Every structure is written in structure tokens, then in C-alpha cells.
């Protein structure tokens, strides 16, 4: 990766990816905001508001919106991860985000709930390209001694994007229809799409792009034609790569821990503003939705930025080892659970609730950078996109795909037959129950730390050093099977 495009500097790449990540996660917060998602039709408010009101949705049907989004993301993410071995990763980013932009505009134009569900699924398909490929680029080009902080900068865009989505949804819908919010965010993605499809592409370590060399680089003649590979050969390579990733014991433990963590975050992100509104505001207060959106958005921005940066700095200061990263993640989950449980059970005012909730959010956001780093370091370099995509499949398929509709179902069951005030108090139980998963997450991160023995850290190893089980360029029989060689868990960042 010595011949870089003229446009490239590491900081410029980080800035481009951070801005794109902000818009991607703005969409997640947008559809969960009270302004866009709205409220269901009731006897007191027969028309409802937002998406729930326009399409007459129950809480369970409303919970299907993030679920269908995740279905699209889960299907497409491993496909993009494998495609990077045969095509330019940079061009795949542009193609995927083009699908994303078209799909979010389709959300704004959806004539019925079925069309909206389909559009949300394709939003997930487009986002899959960014989920699988952005982090490996950062891992390749971040300064060696600052990788955790660079991951922190990138991943703090997740809570900030969510929060901006809450705020953006509340502000825009105060003046116009919720449909325009989707159109605006789709247009905002166009500059990145054009750049990724037309600029000289950046090389990703472990990829084998079907791209000519940059125009400023010397050429030794025309590139040979690429052989079309039989689908059975491609499938065998794919399954071999998947098997190699699942043989990495640290990756498996971290994947389980992160799945439980994301299940909790999915519920907080989707139901948090609604729970705060129901617990501490009257249903007749017309400004309650916007106030809850703005406060949740502001608190999430503050705690997300501070927590993500603090976690990255802490890991760099402790020493960027797999074991230290996992221990930091475990402490984040276990301590954060205590504060969040206090928020849900002991708060008696909106200010008290948000204060305790803010401390809990700050604490659990400490793990954003460390868990991203572990995901990059505990698999062979050429399988980082595959490892990231498989973890994405797991954390969403078993995490925040089922958690919002299940908690919505739990809340509906607990609130059934109760008056409005008593039904609102059931959110304390619903949110406390799902928060118990943070204890499971912390325990699994401790297991991952225990398994972080010499040989499980792949930093510094050359990509393509072994053959995948399918006979391709996979990571091969490496990792825990070769514990006596390579980097140790205590090695520095390469």
C-alpha cells in the first residue's frame, strides 16, 4: 500500500468516514424519534402522529421497522465482506451507499406500511457495505500508537448520529411531514457516493480489487484478464473463510458479549424517548414528544462523545492488548448496569432519571473503541471484513433485531388492563429486565480476556498468509491453533 491516491491523507480518510457514519446513524435515530415515529392511534388521540399514526401501527408492528432493516443488513453484510476479495473495497462502499440513499428516499415516499418495511430492508442492504468495510480501512491507515483513539473517533459517531436523528426528527416534523426527513438525509449522502465511485480508490489490505493502478503510478503493461470463477469455488472459499473466523476463540467470546450489549442498546435507542415521555409527561402535553427527543438526543451526544473518546484514550494508555481491551469492555458493562438499573427503578423526576441514565450511558459507551479494536485484531488481516460482517450478523440477528419488538410485546403485556398512569410505570420493569443482559455481556468479555493468550493477536502478520478451509485466500489454520508463533496478546499495535 505504498502508492496512495493523491487525495489521500489518513486524517482526511478518517474525516470522510466519520461524516458518513454520522449520516448513517442519523437515520437510526430519526426513525426512532417521537417526531418521525410518532404515537399510535388512541381514544384520546384518534389520528395518532408520525409513522405509527399514519399507518395505524401497534407497538409490535412498529418494532418490525428496525427488524426488517436489520434483515437487509444481515443478508448483505457477508456478501460485501466476501466481495472485497474480488473487487475494489472503495467502489463497493460507493455502490452500497448508493443503494442506501435510494432506499431512504423510498421510505419518505412509501404509500403503505408494507412498502415502508421493504424500503427499510434495502436501507439495511446499503448500510451493510459501510459496516463491513469502513473499520478495516481505519485499522490499516490509523497511526500505530493511536489506533484505539481513531476507532473512538469513528465509533463516537454512532451515539452522536443517533442523537442528531432524535433532534432532527423532532425539529423537522414540527414544521412539515415526517416524510421529508428521509428525503433530506438521502440527499446528504450523495457527495460521498460520487466520491467513492469516481475518486482513485484506496487499497484495503487483504483485498484483491479489480481496478487499474492509479494513473500516477508506473505501469508494466496491460493488466491480465481476470478469470471468471465457478460459483462452487467462490462458495467454497466463502464457507472456508467463515469457518476460519469461527475458530478464533477470542472472536467467538467477544461476539457473544457484544450481541448481549447491542440488544440492550437497541431497546434504549428505540424505546428510550417513548419511555421517558410516558413516565414523566402527560399524554395531553403536546410539547412532550419534542422535549423528550431533544433531551435524549442531547444526553446521548454528550455521553457518546465523552464515553467513546475516554474508552479509546484509556485503552491506549493501558496498553493496546487484547486482554486489556476485553477487561475494559467487561468493566464498562458491569458498572454501567448498576447506574442504569438505578435510573429505571429509583428515579422520581425526569431530571433525576436523565442524570442517572447519562452516567450509565457514559459508562457503557466506554467500550465502543475497545470492542472495535478487538474485532479487527483477533482475526487474520484478510478476514477482517468477514469477521466484522459476521459479528454484525450475530449482534443484530440475536441482539437488536428481536429486542425492540420483544420489549414492545412485554410492555404491551404489562400495560394491558391498566390505566394510563399505571401502564406508563411498566416501562421501569421492561427496561430493567432487558438491562440484565449487560451482566451477561460483562461476563463474556471476561471470558474473552481470559482467552487472549499469545498467538490470538494477528497484528503485524501479513494478509493472505494461509489458505482458507475452502481453498481460497482465507486465514487458514491460524490463531489459537498456532499459539506458539506470531504476535503475543501483549504486542504493540503494528
Amino acid at each position: 500500500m505504498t502508492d496512495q491516491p493523491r487525495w489521500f491523507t489518513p486524517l482526511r480518510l478518517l474525516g470522510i468516514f466519520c461524516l458518513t457514519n454520522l449520516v448513517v446513524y442519523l437515520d437510526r435515530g430519526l426513525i426512532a424519534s417521537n417526531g418521525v415515529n410518532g404515537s399510535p392511534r388512541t381514544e384520546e388521540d384518534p389520528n395518532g402522529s408520525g409513522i405509527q399514526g399514519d399507518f395505524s401501527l401497534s407497538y409490535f408492528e412498529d418494532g418490525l421497522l428496525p427488524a426488517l432493516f436489520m434483515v437487509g443488513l444481515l443478508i448483505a453484510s457477508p456478501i460485501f465482506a466476501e466481495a472485497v476479495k474480488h473487487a475494489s473495497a472503495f467502489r463497493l462502499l460507493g455502490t452500497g451507499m448508493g443503494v442506501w440513499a435510494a432506499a431512504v428516499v423510498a421510505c419518505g415516499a412509501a404509500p403503505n406500511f408494507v412498502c415502508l418495511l421493504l424500503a427499510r430492508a434495502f436501507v439495511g442492504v446499503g448500510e451493510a457495505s459501510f459496516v463491513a468495510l469502513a473499520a478495516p480501512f481505519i485499522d490499516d491507515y490509523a497511526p500505530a500508537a493511536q489506533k484505539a483513539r481513531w476507532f473512538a473517533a469513528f465509533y463516537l459517531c454512532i451515539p452522536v448520529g443517533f442523537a442528531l436523528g432524535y433532534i432532527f426528527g423532532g425539529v423537522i416534523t414540527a414544521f412539515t411531514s415526517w416524510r421529508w426527513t428521509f428525503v433530506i438525509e438521502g440527499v446528504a449522502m450523495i457527495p460521498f457516493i460520487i466520491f467513492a465511485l469516481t475518486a482513485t480508490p484506496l487499497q484495503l489490505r487483504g483485498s484483491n480489487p479489480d481496478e487499474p493502478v492509479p494513473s500516477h503510478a508506473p505501469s508494466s503493461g496491460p493488466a491480465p484478464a481476470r478469470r471468471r470463477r465457478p460459483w462452487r469455488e467462490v462458495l467454497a472459499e466463502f464457507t472456508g473463510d467463515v469457518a476460519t473466523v469461527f475458530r478464533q476463540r477470542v472472536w467467538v467470546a467477544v461476539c457473544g458479549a457484544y450481541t448481549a450489549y447491542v440488544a440492550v442498546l437497541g431497546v434504549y435507542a428505540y424505546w428510550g424517548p417513548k419511555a421517558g415521555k410516558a413516565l414523566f409527561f402527560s399524554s395531553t402535553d403536546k410539547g412532550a414528544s419534542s422535549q423528550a427527543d431533544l433531551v435524549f438526543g442531547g444526553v446521548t451526544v454528550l455521553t457518546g462523545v465523552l464515553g467513546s473518546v475516554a474508552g479509546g484514550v484509556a485503552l491506549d494508555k493501558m496498553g493496546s492488548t487484547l486482554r486489556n481491551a476485553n477487561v475494559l469492555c467487561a468493566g464498562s458493562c458491569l458498572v454501567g448496569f448498576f447506574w442504569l438499573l438505578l435510573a429505571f427503578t429509583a428515579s422520581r423526576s425526569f431530571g433525576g432519571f436523565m442524570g442517572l441514565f447519562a452516567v450509565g450511558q457514559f459508562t457503557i459507551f466506554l467500550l465502543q473503541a475497545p470492542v472495535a479494536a478487538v474485532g479487527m485484531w483477533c482475526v487474520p488481516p484478510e478476514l477482517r471484513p468477514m469477521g466484522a460482517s459476521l459479528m454484525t450478523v450475530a449482534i443484530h440477528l440475536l441482539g437488536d433485531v428481536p429486542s425492540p419488538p420483544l420489549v414492545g410485546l412485554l410492555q404491551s403485556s404489562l400495560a394491558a388492563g391498566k390505566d394510563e398512569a399505571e401502564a406508563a410505570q411498566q416501562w421501569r420493569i421492561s427496561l430493567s429486565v432487558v438491562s440484565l443482559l449487560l451482566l451477561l455481556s460483562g461476563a463474556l468479555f471476561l471470558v474473552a480476556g481470559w482467552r487472549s493468550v499469545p498467538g490470538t493477536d494477528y497484528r503485524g502478520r501479513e494478509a493472505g498468509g494461509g489458505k482458507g478451509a475452502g481453498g481460497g485466500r482465507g486465514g487458514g489454520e491460524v490463531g489459537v491453533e498456532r499459539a506458539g508463533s506470531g504476535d503475543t496478546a501483549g504486542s504493540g499495535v503494528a
Side-chain angles (χ1 to χ4, degrees), residues 232-305:
R232 288 186 178 85
E233 182 180 330
V234 174
L235 181 61
E237 182 177 11
F238 173 79
T239 56
D241 290 343
V242 172
T244 300
V245 170
F246 274 96
R247 283 197 295 270
Q248 314 310 313
R249 293 180 295 177
V250 173
W251 183 92
V252 171
V254 169
C255 186
Y258 201 31
T259 298
Y261 171 84
V262 169
V264 176
L265 281 194
V267 170
Y268 292 170
Y270 202 78
W271 294 120
K274 283 183 171 53
K277 175 191 171 185
L279 284 168
F280 301 106
F281 295 95
S282 168
S283 62
T284 59
D285 185 349
K286 298 301 182 183
S289 294
S290 295
Q291 183 176 351
D293 281 343
L294 290 172
V295 173
F296 264 87
V299 167
T300 303
V301 166
L302 182 63
T303 58
V305 170

Coordinates of all heavy atoms in Angstrom, one line a residue, residues 232-305:
R232 N -19.2 -22.6 -7.4 CA -18.9 -23.5 -6.4 C -17.5 -23.2 -5.7 O -17.4 -23.4 -4.5 CB -18.8 -25.0 -7.0 CG -20.2 -25.5 -7.3 CD -20.0 -27.0 -7.7 NE -21.3 -27.6 -8.0 CZ -21.9 -27.5 -9.2 NH1 -21.3 -26.9 -10.2 NH2 -23.1 -28.1 -9.4
E233 N -16.6 -22.7 -6.5 CA -15.3 -22.3 -6.0 C -15.4 -21.1 -5.0 O -14.8 -21.0 -4.0 CB -14.3 -22.0 -7.1 CG -12.9 -21.6 -6.7 CD -12.0 -21.3 -7.8 OE1 -12.2 -21.9 -8.9 OE2 -11.1 -20.5 -7.7
V234 N -16.3 -20.1 -5.5 CA -16.5 -18.9 -4.7 C -17.2 -19.3 -3.4 O -16.9 -18.9 -2.3 CB -17.3 -17.9 -5.4 CG1 -17.7 -16.7 -4.5 CG2 -16.6 -17.4 -6.7
L235 N -18.2 -20.2 -3.5 CA -18.9 -20.6 -2.3 C -18.0 -21.4 -1.3 O -18.1 -21.2 -0.1 CB -20.1 -21.5 -2.7 CG -21.0 -22.0 -1.5 CD1 -21.6 -20.8 -0.8 CD2 -22.1 -22.9 -2.1
A236 N -17.1 -22.2 -1.9 CA -16.2 -23.0 -1.0 C -15.3 -22.1 -0.3 O -15.0 -22.3 0.9 CB -15.4 -24.0 -1.9
E237 N -14.8 -21.0 -1.0 CA -13.9 -20.1 -0.3 C -14.7 -19.3 0.8 O -14.1 -19.1 1.9 CB -13.4 -19.1 -1.4 CG -12.4 -18.1 -0.8 CD -11.8 -17.1 -1.8 OE1 -12.3 -17.1 -3.0 OE2 -10.9 -16.4 -1.5
F238 N -15.9 -18.9 0.5 CA -16.7 -18.2 1.5 C -16.9 -19.1 2.7 O -16.7 -18.6 3.8 CB -18.1 -17.8 0.8 CG -19.0 -17.3 1.8 CD1 -18.9 -15.9 2.2 CD2 -20.0 -18.0 2.4 CE1 -19.8 -15.4 3.1 CE2 -21.0 -17.5 3.3 CZ -20.8 -16.2 3.6
T239 N -17.3 -20.3 2.6 CA -17.6 -21.2 3.7 C -16.3 -21.4 4.5 O -16.3 -21.5 5.7 CB -18.2 -22.5 3.3 OG1 -17.4 -23.1 2.3 CG2 -19.6 -22.2 2.7
G240 N -15.2 -21.5 3.8 CA -13.9 -21.7 4.4 C -13.5 -20.5 5.3 O -13.0 -20.6 6.4
D241 N -13.7 -19.3 4.7 CA -13.5 -18.1 5.5 C -14.3 -18.0 6.7 O -13.8 -17.6 7.8 CB -13.7 -16.9 4.6 CG -12.7 -16.8 3.5 OD1 -11.6 -17.4 3.6 OD2 -12.9 -16.0 2.5
V242 N -15.6 -18.3 6.6 CA -16.5 -18.3 7.8 C -16.0 -19.3 8.8 O -16.0 -18.9 10.0 CB -17.9 -18.6 7.3 CG1 -18.8 -18.8 8.6 CG2 -18.5 -17.6 6.4
A243 N -15.6 -20.5 8.4 CA -15.1 -21.5 9.4 C -13.9 -21.0 10.1 O -13.7 -21.2 11.3 CB -14.9 -22.8 8.7
T244 N -13.0 -20.3 9.3 CA -11.8 -19.8 9.9 C -12.1 -18.8 11.0 O -11.5 -18.8 12.1 CB -10.8 -19.2 8.9 OG1 -10.5 -20.2 7.9 CG2 -9.6 -18.6 9.5
V245 N -13.0 -17.9 10.7 CA -13.4 -16.8 11.7 C -13.9 -17.5 13.0 O -13.6 -17.1 14.1 CB -14.4 -15.9 11.1 CG1 -14.9 -14.9 12.2 CG2 -13.7 -15.0 10.0
F246 N -14.8 -18.5 12.8 CA -15.4 -19.1 14.0 C -14.4 -20.0 14.8 O -14.8 -20.4 15.9 CB -16.6 -20.0 13.5 CG -17.9 -19.1 13.4 CD1 -18.3 -18.6 12.2 CD2 -18.6 -18.9 14.6 CE1 -19.5 -17.9 12.1 CE2 -19.8 -18.1 14.5 CZ -20.2 -17.6 13.3
R247 N -13.3 -20.3 14.2 CA -12.2 -21.0 15.0 C -11.5 -20.1 15.9 O -10.7 -20.5 16.8 CB -11.3 -21.7 14.1 CG -11.9 -23.0 13.5 CD -10.8 -23.9 12.9 NE -10.1 -23.3 11.8 CZ -10.4 -23.5 10.6 NH1 -11.5 -24.2 10.2 NH2 -9.7 -22.9 9.6
Q248 N -11.6 -18.8 15.8 CA -10.9 -17.8 16.7 C -11.7 -17.7 18.0 O -12.8 -17.1 18.0 CB -10.8 -16.5 16.0 CG -10.3 -16.6 14.5 CD -9.0 -17.4 14.3 OE1 -8.1 -17.3 15.1 NE2 -9.1 -18.3 13.3
R249 N -11.2 -18.2 19.1 CA -11.9 -18.3 20.3 C -12.2 -17.0 20.9 O -13.2 -16.7 21.5 CB -11.2 -19.2 21.3 CG -11.2 -20.7 20.9 CD -10.4 -21.6 21.9 NE -9.0 -21.2 21.9 CZ -8.2 -21.8 22.8 NH1 -8.6 -22.7 23.6 NH2 -6.9 -21.4 22.8
V250 N -11.3 -16.0 20.8 CA -11.5 -14.7 21.3 C -12.6 -14.0 20.6 O -13.5 -13.4 21.2 CB -10.2 -13.8 21.2 CG1 -10.5 -12.4 21.6 CG2 -9.1 -14.4 22.1
W251 N -12.6 -14.2 19.3 CA -13.7 -13.6 18.5 C -15.1 -14.1 18.9 O -16.0 -13.4 19.0 CB -13.5 -13.9 17.0 CG -14.4 -13.3 16.1 CD1 -14.4 -12.0 15.5 CD2 -15.7 -13.8 15.6 NE1 -15.5 -11.8 14.7 CE2 -16.3 -12.9 14.8 CE3 -16.4 -15.0 15.9 CZ2 -17.6 -13.1 14.2 CZ3 -17.6 -15.2 15.3 CH2 -18.2 -14.3 14.5
V252 N -15.2 -15.4 19.1 CA -16.4 -16.0 19.5 C -17.0 -15.5 20.8 O -18.1 -15.1 20.9 CB -16.3 -17.6 19.6 CG1 -17.6 -18.2 20.2 CG2 -16.1 -18.2 18.2
A253 N -16.1 -15.3 21.8 CA -16.5 -14.8 23.1 C -16.9 -13.3 23.0 O -17.9 -12.9 23.6 CB -15.4 -15.0 24.1
V254 N -16.1 -12.6 22.2 CA -16.4 -11.2 22.1 C -17.7 -11.0 21.3 O -18.6 -10.1 21.6 CB -15.3 -10.4 21.4 CG1 -15.7 -9.0 20.9 CG2 -14.1 -10.4 22.3
C255 N -18.0 -11.8 20.3 CA -19.2 -11.8 19.6 C -20.4 -12.0 20.5 O -21.4 -11.3 20.4 CB -19.2 -12.8 18.4 SG -20.6 -12.8 17.3
G256 N -20.3 -13.0 21.3 CA -21.4 -13.2 22.3 C -21.7 -12.1 23.2 O -22.8 -11.7 23.5
A257 N -20.6 -11.5 23.7 CA -20.7 -10.4 24.7 C -21.3 -9.2 24.0 O -22.2 -8.5 24.5 CB -19.3 -10.0 25.2
Y258 N -20.8 -8.9 22.8 CA -21.3 -7.7 22.0 C -22.7 -7.9 21.6 O -23.5 -6.9 21.5 CB -20.4 -7.5 20.8 CG -20.4 -6.1 20.3 CD1 -20.6 -5.0 21.1 CD2 -20.2 -5.8 18.9 CE1 -20.6 -3.7 20.6 CE2 -20.2 -4.6 18.4 CZ -20.4 -3.5 19.2 OH -20.4 -2.2 18.7
T259 N -23.2 -9.1 21.4 CA -24.6 -9.4 21.0 C -25.5 -9.0 22.1 O -26.5 -8.3 21.9 CB -24.7 -10.8 20.6 OG1 -23.9 -11.1 19.5 CG2 -26.2 -11.1 20.3
A260 N -25.1 -9.4 23.4 CA -26.0 -9.0 24.5 C -26.0 -7.5 24.7 O -27.0 -6.9 25.0 CB -25.4 -9.8 25.8
Y261 N -24.8 -6.9 24.6 CA -24.7 -5.4 24.7 C -25.6 -4.7 23.7 O -26.3 -3.8 24.1 CB -23.3 -5.1 24.6 CG -22.9 -3.6 24.5 CD1 -22.8 -2.8 25.6 CD2 -22.7 -3.0 23.3 CE1 -22.5 -1.5 25.6 CE2 -22.4 -1.6 23.2 CZ -22.3 -0.9 24.3 OH -22.0 0.4 24.3
V262 N -25.5 -5.1 22.5 CA -26.3 -4.4 21.4 C -27.8 -4.6 21.6 O -28.6 -3.8 21.2 CB -25.8 -4.9 20.0 CG1 -26.7 -4.4 18.9 CG2 -24.4 -4.4 19.8
A263 N -28.2 -5.8 22.1 CA -29.6 -6.0 22.4 C -30.1 -4.9 23.3 O -31.2 -4.4 23.2 CB -29.8 -7.4 22.9
V264 N -29.3 -4.6 24.3 CA -29.7 -3.6 25.3 C -29.7 -2.2 24.6 O -30.7 -1.4 24.8 CB -28.8 -3.6 26.5 CG1 -29.1 -2.4 27.5 CG2 -28.8 -4.9 27.2
L265 N -28.7 -1.9 23.9 CA -28.6 -0.6 23.2 C -29.8 -0.4 22.2 O -30.3 0.7 22.1 CB -27.3 -0.4 22.5 CG -26.1 0.0 23.2 CD1 -25.0 0.4 22.3 CD2 -26.3 1.1 24.2
G266 N -30.2 -1.5 21.5 CA -31.3 -1.4 20.6 C -32.6 -1.0 21.3 O -33.3 -0.2 20.7
V267 N -32.8 -1.5 22.5 CA -34.0 -1.1 23.2 C -33.9 0.3 23.7 O -34.9 1.1 23.6 CB -34.2 -2.1 24.4 CG1 -35.3 -1.6 25.3 CG2 -34.5 -3.5 23.9
Y268 N -32.8 0.7 24.2 CA -32.6 2.1 24.7 C -32.9 3.1 23.6 O -33.5 4.1 23.8 CB -31.3 2.3 25.3 CG -31.0 1.6 26.6 CD1 -29.7 1.5 27.1 CD2 -32.0 0.9 27.3 CE1 -29.4 0.9 28.3 CE2 -31.7 0.2 28.5 CZ -30.4 0.2 29.0 OH -30.1 -0.4 30.2
A269 N -32.3 2.8 22.4 CA -32.3 3.7 21.3 C -33.8 3.8 20.8 O -34.2 4.9 20.4 CB -31.4 3.3 20.2
Y270 N -34.5 2.7 20.7 CA -35.8 2.7 20.1 C -36.9 3.1 21.1 O -37.8 3.9 20.7 CB -36.1 1.3 19.5 CG -37.1 1.4 18.4 CD1 -36.8 1.9 17.1 CD2 -38.5 1.1 18.7 CE1 -37.8 2.0 16.1 CE2 -39.4 1.2 17.7 CZ -39.1 1.6 16.4 OH -40.0 1.8 15.4
W271 N -36.8 2.6 22.3 CA -37.9 2.8 23.2 C -37.6 3.9 24.3 O -38.5 4.4 25.0 CB -38.3 1.5 23.9 CG -38.9 0.5 23.1 CD1 -38.4 -0.8 22.8 CD2 -40.1 0.6 22.3 NE1 -39.2 -1.4 22.0 CE2 -40.3 -0.6 21.6 CE3 -41.1 1.6 22.1 CZ2 -41.4 -0.9 20.8 CZ3 -42.1 1.3 21.2 CH2 -42.3 0.1 20.6
G272 N -36.3 4.3 24.4 CA -35.9 5.3 25.4 C -36.7 6.6 25.4 O -37.3 7.0 26.4
P273 N -36.8 7.3 24.3 CA -37.6 8.5 24.3 C -39.1 8.3 24.6 O -39.6 9.1 25.3 CB -37.4 9.0 22.8 CG -36.1 8.4 22.4 CD -36.1 7.1 23.0
K274 N -39.6 7.2 24.1 CA -41.0 7.0 24.4 C -41.2 6.7 25.9 O -42.2 7.1 26.5 CB -41.5 5.8 23.6 CG -41.8 6.1 22.1 CD -42.4 4.9 21.4 CE -42.9 5.3 20.0 NZ -41.9 6.0 19.2
A275 N -40.3 5.9 26.5 CA -40.4 5.6 27.9 C -40.3 6.8 28.8 O -41.1 7.1 29.7 CB -39.4 4.6 28.3
G276 N -39.3 7.7 28.4 CA -39.2 8.9 29.2 C -40.4 9.8 29.1 O -40.8 10.4 30.1
K277 N -41.0 9.9 27.9 CA -42.2 10.7 27.7 C -43.3 10.1 28.5 O -44.1 10.9 29.2 CB -42.6 10.8 26.3 CG -43.9 11.5 26.0 CD -44.3 11.2 24.5 CE -45.8 11.7 24.3 NZ -46.2 11.4 23.0
A278 N -43.5 8.8 28.5 CA -44.7 8.2 29.2 C -44.5 8.3 30.7 O -45.5 8.5 31.4 CB -44.8 6.7 28.7
L279 N -43.3 8.1 31.2 CA -43.1 8.1 32.6 C -43.2 9.5 33.3 O -43.7 9.6 34.4 CB -41.7 7.6 33.0 CG -41.5 6.1 32.8 CD1 -40.0 5.7 32.9 CD2 -42.3 5.3 34.0
F280 N -42.8 10.5 32.6 CA -42.7 11.8 33.3 C -43.5 13.0 32.6 O -43.4 14.1 33.1 CB -41.2 12.2 33.3 CG -40.4 11.2 34.1 CD1 -39.5 10.4 33.4 CD2 -40.5 11.1 35.5 CE1 -38.8 9.4 34.1 CE2 -39.7 10.2 36.2 CZ -38.9 9.3 35.5
F281 N -44.2 12.7 31.5 CA -45.0 13.7 30.9 C -46.4 13.3 30.7 O -46.7 12.1 30.5 CB -44.4 14.1 29.6 CG -43.1 14.8 29.6 CD1 -41.9 14.0 29.5 CD2 -42.9 16.1 29.9 CE1 -40.7 14.5 29.5 CE2 -41.6 16.7 30.0 CZ -40.5 15.9 29.8
S282 N -47.4 14.2 30.7 CA -48.8 13.9 30.5 C -49.0 13.7 29.0 O -48.4 14.3 28.1 CB -49.7 15.1 31.0 OG -51.0 14.9 30.5
S283 N -49.9 12.8 28.7 CA -50.2 12.5 27.3 C -50.8 13.7 26.6 O -50.9 13.8 25.3 CB -51.1 11.3 27.1 OG -52.4 11.5 27.8
T284 N -51.4 14.6 27.3 CA -52.0 15.8 26.8 C -51.0 16.9 26.5 O -51.4 18.0 26.0 CB -53.1 16.3 27.7 OG1 -52.6 16.6 29.0 CG2 -54.2 15.3 27.9
D285 N -49.8 16.7 27.0 CA -48.7 17.7 26.8 C -48.2 17.6 25.4 O -47.5 16.7 25.0 CB -47.6 17.5 27.8 CG -46.5 18.6 27.7 OD1 -46.6 19.4 26.8 OD2 -45.7 18.6 28.6
K286 N -48.6 18.6 24.5 CA -48.3 18.5 23.1 C -46.8 18.7 22.8 O -46.3 18.3 21.8 CB -49.1 19.5 22.3 CG -50.6 19.3 22.4 CD -51.0 17.9 21.8 CE -52.5 17.7 21.9 NZ -52.9 16.4 21.4
G287 N -46.1 19.4 23.7 CA -44.6 19.6 23.5 C -43.8 18.5 24.1 O -42.5 18.5 24.0
A288 N -44.4 17.5 24.7 CA -43.6 16.4 25.4 C -42.8 15.6 24.5 O -41.6 15.3 24.8 CB -44.6 15.5 26.2
S289 N -43.3 15.3 23.3 CA -42.5 14.5 22.3 C -41.3 15.2 21.9 O -40.2 14.6 21.9 CB -43.4 14.2 21.1 OG -44.5 13.3 21.4
S290 N -41.4 16.5 21.5 CA -40.2 17.2 21.1 C -39.2 17.3 22.3 O -38.0 17.2 22.1 CB -40.6 18.5 20.6 OG -41.3 18.4 19.4
Q291 N -39.7 17.6 23.5 CA -38.8 17.8 24.6 C -38.1 16.5 24.9 O -36.9 16.5 25.2 CB -39.6 18.2 25.8 CG -38.7 18.5 27.1 CD -39.5 19.1 28.2 OE1 -40.7 19.4 28.1 NE2 -38.9 19.2 29.4
A292 N -38.8 15.4 24.9 CA -38.1 14.1 25.2 C -37.1 13.8 24.1 O -36.0 13.3 24.5 CB -39.2 13.0 25.3
D293 N -37.4 14.0 22.9 CA -36.5 13.8 21.8 C -35.2 14.6 22.0 O -34.1 14.2 21.9 CB -37.1 14.1 20.4 CG -38.0 13.0 19.9 OD1 -37.9 11.9 20.4 OD2 -38.8 13.3 19.0
L294 N -35.4 15.9 22.3 CA -34.2 16.8 22.4 C -33.4 16.5 23.6 O -32.1 16.5 23.5 CB -34.7 18.3 22.5 CG -35.4 18.9 21.3 CD1 -36.0 20.2 21.6 CD2 -34.3 19.0 20.2
V295 N -34.0 16.1 24.7 CA -33.2 15.8 25.9 C -32.5 14.5 25.7 O -31.3 14.4 26.0 CB -34.1 15.7 27.2 CG1 -33.3 15.2 28.4 CG2 -34.7 17.1 27.5
F296 N -33.2 13.4 25.2 CA -32.5 12.2 24.9 C -31.4 12.4 23.9 O -30.3 11.8 24.1 CB -33.5 11.1 24.4 CG -34.0 10.2 25.5 CD1 -35.1 10.6 26.3 CD2 -33.4 9.0 25.8 CE1 -35.6 9.8 27.3 CE2 -33.9 8.2 26.8 CZ -35.0 8.6 27.5
G297 N -31.6 13.2 22.9 CA -30.6 13.4 21.9 C -29.4 14.1 22.5 O -28.3 13.7 22.2
G298 N -29.6 15.2 23.3 CA -28.5 15.9 23.9 C -27.7 15.0 24.8 O -26.5 15.1 24.8
V299 N -28.4 14.2 25.6 CA -27.7 13.4 26.6 C -26.9 12.3 25.8 O -25.7 12.0 26.2 CB -28.7 12.7 27.6 CG1 -28.0 11.6 28.4 CG2 -29.2 13.8 28.5
T300 N -27.5 11.7 24.8 CA -26.8 10.7 24.0 C -25.6 11.3 23.3 O -24.5 10.6 23.2 CB -27.7 10.1 23.0 OG1 -28.9 9.5 23.7 CG2 -27.1 8.9 22.3
V301 N -25.7 12.5 22.8 CA -24.5 13.1 22.1 C -23.4 13.3 23.2 O -22.2 12.9 22.9 CB -24.9 14.5 21.5 CG1 -23.6 15.3 21.2 CG2 -25.7 14.3 20.3
L302 N -23.7 13.9 24.3 CA -22.7 14.2 25.3 C -22.0 12.9 25.8 O -20.8 12.8 25.9 CB -23.3 14.9 26.5 CG -22.4 15.4 27.6 CD1 -21.3 16.3 27.1 CD2 -23.1 16.0 28.7
T303 N -22.8 11.9 26.2 CA -22.3 10.7 26.8 C -21.6 9.9 25.7 O -20.6 9.2 26.0 CB -23.4 9.9 27.5 OG1 -24.4 9.5 26.5 CG2 -24.0 10.6 28.7
G304 N -22.1 9.9 24.5 CA -21.5 9.1 23.4 C -20.1 9.7 23.1 O -19.1 8.9 23.0
V305 N -20.0 11.0 23.0 CA -18.7 11.6 22.7 C -17.7 11.3 23.8 O -16.6 10.8 23.6 CB -18.8 13.1 22.4 CG1 -17.5 13.8 22.3 CG2 -19.6 13.3 21.1

